[in-house]
Amino acid sequence: MKKVAVNIARLVLAVTLILSGFVKAVDPLGTQYKIQDYLTAMGLGNFVPDFLTLSASVLLSGAEFMLGICLLFAIRRRLVSKIVLAIMVTMTLLTLWLAWTDPIHDCGCFGDALVLTNWQTFWKNVILLALAVIVWRWPLEMPRLISESNQWIVFNYSGVFILLFVALRSLYTLPQFDFRPYHIGADLREGWQKMMDGEDSPYTDFFIETVDEGEDITEQVLNSEGYTFLLIAPHLEQADDSQLDELNRIYDYSSEQGYPFYCLTASSEKAITRWQDMTGAEYPFCQTDDITLKTVIRSNPGLVLLKDGKVIRKWSHNALPEEEELTERLEDSGLGKMPSNSVPTKILWLLTWFVLPLVLLTIADRLWAWSKWLRKKNKKYNPLNKEKRIMRKKIVAGNWKMNMNLQDGIALAKELNETLKADKPNCGVVICTPFIHLASIAQFLDQDIIGLGAENCADKEKGAFTGEVSAEMVKSTGAQYVILGHSERREYYKETPEILKEKVLLAQKNDLKVIFCIGESLEEREAGKQNEVVKAELEGSVFNLSEEDFRKIVIAYEPIWAIGTGKTATAEQAEEIHAYIRSIIAEKYGQAVADDTTILYGGSCKASNAPELFAKPDIDGGLIGGASLKAADFKGIIDAWKK
């Protein structure tokens, strides 16, 4: 039930973030205007330059879209769930303020595609916040849609798509999906007439008033039969002047063909005069509300073509009609007709170039994962591999760390000894104790049932090294094993790969079996560096060994973020990296050595999760910490091999 709830929450959040990010990215200027509205409401409108608000618009939409993709595909689950929770806490508080004070009438969370009131937005965010808490609480309950090794493809492809092919493309040309009342195909004449008749209309603030005489010519323009060009420049002071020759050429064409041409602006007469002096513009100028002009077209300047009061074409100043397109009358030209890239065509483009590749990648990835699992399963149960499987020893090893005095340690060892004598284990059992316990425990421990090991040894053979215990000393107590490379030794005592290399060599020189620990921190796991970390640790300390000596090594993989924290890597996570470790051993020493190498899992393993972990084909047992300090708990893990 918990897993179902988490994944319902995950899907709702993912879809919401993807849609919200997409509609913002498809209209970056509209998102910029909304950010400016927020800043103005906070009294910061005059302090933040336009290029920063535009950059924020693009990055915000991209980040929102990418977070939705990461949730959908379960990429970097812990980190993403924390970020989503932080965002939802912030947005819920922000929209509560908006709903309470009402400084702006629409938060813009879904752009112009879906307009919500501020209170509707707040309650929507309350629901999303609750879902974000669920996902944050149990992030590992979200199954991956694609294997961890291929997640970078999904992440990078989605990032390039939303930023380059959606946001920047829409910014350079025009929004690929236009949700505003002035979209191509909108009948302004009909909408204006409804408004004049007292009906609801989105064109209430649309008017055209001549600059020279102050005459309202809105009705005249909209009722004009045939074609009309509208040059839209909300603020001439900020208009892009790189295409002045092209604009003048289009005006000359309209004059020659007898098509009306007006420049609609909200600028002052002074700014209009300056523009005329700078450009040589001869077209008439008209006043219109600046917010309305920004709504008509996301370009300054931009060009709109009306036919019988209906919008049939729009051009950004970056993509104006070419000269060869204006050699005949619009009635006989393709420019005079509705464009062929309709909404269904654009949706098909979106499905073909974004959705379909991800679907195909996911299917291919899952088929590969399934075939890999099938090969392992067949290998595991193939009678020809039976002998090879038996050669890989199953081990449950206890690491007591710095716990229990001598008397308590002896008592625990005796209890384990008697328990396992009475109920023989189905695997190898090792207890690794503090140095002071070794000699005493070795006297009564039946090492045919329970192996004895130390938790460390020195990297020097002998000498003036006060407080150190050499490998020879460990061996003399009767111990058979030694743990080396444990994360606590690496972190607290700064044991380097070179130091560990010396320890391994001395341990093997004294016939001690090495349990060599490797593993990544939480930061390294969240950065996706776990593979390179474990590979570097092996290469730095044990890959120098000959094949014969390496066969004596037992590897213990410890996700450091799961040691003593109560967190546990999922069985799938553990199996995935165990399989990777076995693969790099195969690269170094060959498949036969890799198949014979025992690899233990060492991260918060308990009797409750041991059966699931040990059932994985590349997990050969566990290196147990806290649960090895009680005989019953340790026995419960050992018994997982009987299930």
Side-chain angles (χ1 to χ4, degrees), residues 400 404-414 417 431-447 450-453 477-478:
W400 289 8
M404 293 188 296
N405 58 35
L406 179 60
Q407 292 74 27
D408 291 340
I410 290 173
L412 174 58
K414 284 182 176 179
N417 198 58
I431 54 172
C432 296
T433 76
F435 293 128
I436 65 165
H437 297 64
L438 292 173
S440 299
I441 291 175
Q443 294 177 20
F444 62 82
L445 198 68
D446 185 346
Q447 293 205 41
I450 305 178
L452 181 62
T477 66

Side-chain angles (χ1 to χ4, degrees), residues 585-620:
I585 293 172
E587 289 177 9
K588 175 67 177 177
Y589 294 105
Q591 193 62 50
V593 175
D595 288 339
D596 290 344
T597 301
T598 297
I599 306 178
L600 310 180
Y601 172 74
S604 294
C605 183
K606 304 178 284 293
S608 59
N609 61 20
E612 183 183 7
L613 287 164
F614 295 173
K616 297 298 181 182
D618 287 295
I619 299 178
D620 305 311

Side-chain angles (χ1 to χ4, degrees), residues 309-367:
K310 181 181 288 188
V311 179
I312 67 165
R313 290 278 181 171
K314 285 185 176 184
W315 295 277
S316 161
H317 65 271
N318 293 313
L320 294 169
E322 299 291 338
E323 186 172 359
E324 55 270 19
E325 295 179 277
L326 297 174
T327 56
E328 55 185 341
R329 290 186 60 78
L330 292 175
E331 289 83 353
D332 304 319
S333 166
L335 287 182
K337 300 178 177 60
M338 286 280 191
S340 58
N341 57 336
S342 60
V343 171
T345 303
K346 293 176 181 178
I347 293 175
L348 180 62
W349 176 86
L350 179 65
L351 293 174
T352 302
W353 292 104
F354 182 66
V355 177
L356 182 60
L358 291 186
V359 170
L360 293 177
L361 176 63
T362 303
I363 292 172
D365 179 86
R366 292 299 86 194
L367 287 174

Side-chain angles (χ1 to χ4, degrees), residues 13 41 92 128 145 194 214 326 403 405 407 464 499 525 577 598:
L13 283 168
T92 302
L128 294 179
L145 291 187
K194 286 183 178 180
L326 297 174
N403 290 296
N405 58 35
Q407 292 74 27
I499 290 174
R525 162 66 68 162
I577 196 159
T598 297

Side-chain angles (χ1 to χ4, degrees), residues 17-28 31 35 54-68 162-163 166-168:
L17 288 169
I18 290 171
L19 290 178
S20 178
F22 182 81
V23 296
K24 288 186 179 76
V26 88
D27 184 11
T31 306
I35 291 174
L54 183 57
S55 300
S57 165
V58 173
L59 294 176
L60 173 65
S61 58
E64 199 170 356
F65 183 86
M66 291 304 298
L67 283 173
I162 195 64
L163 292 175
V166 177
L168 295 182

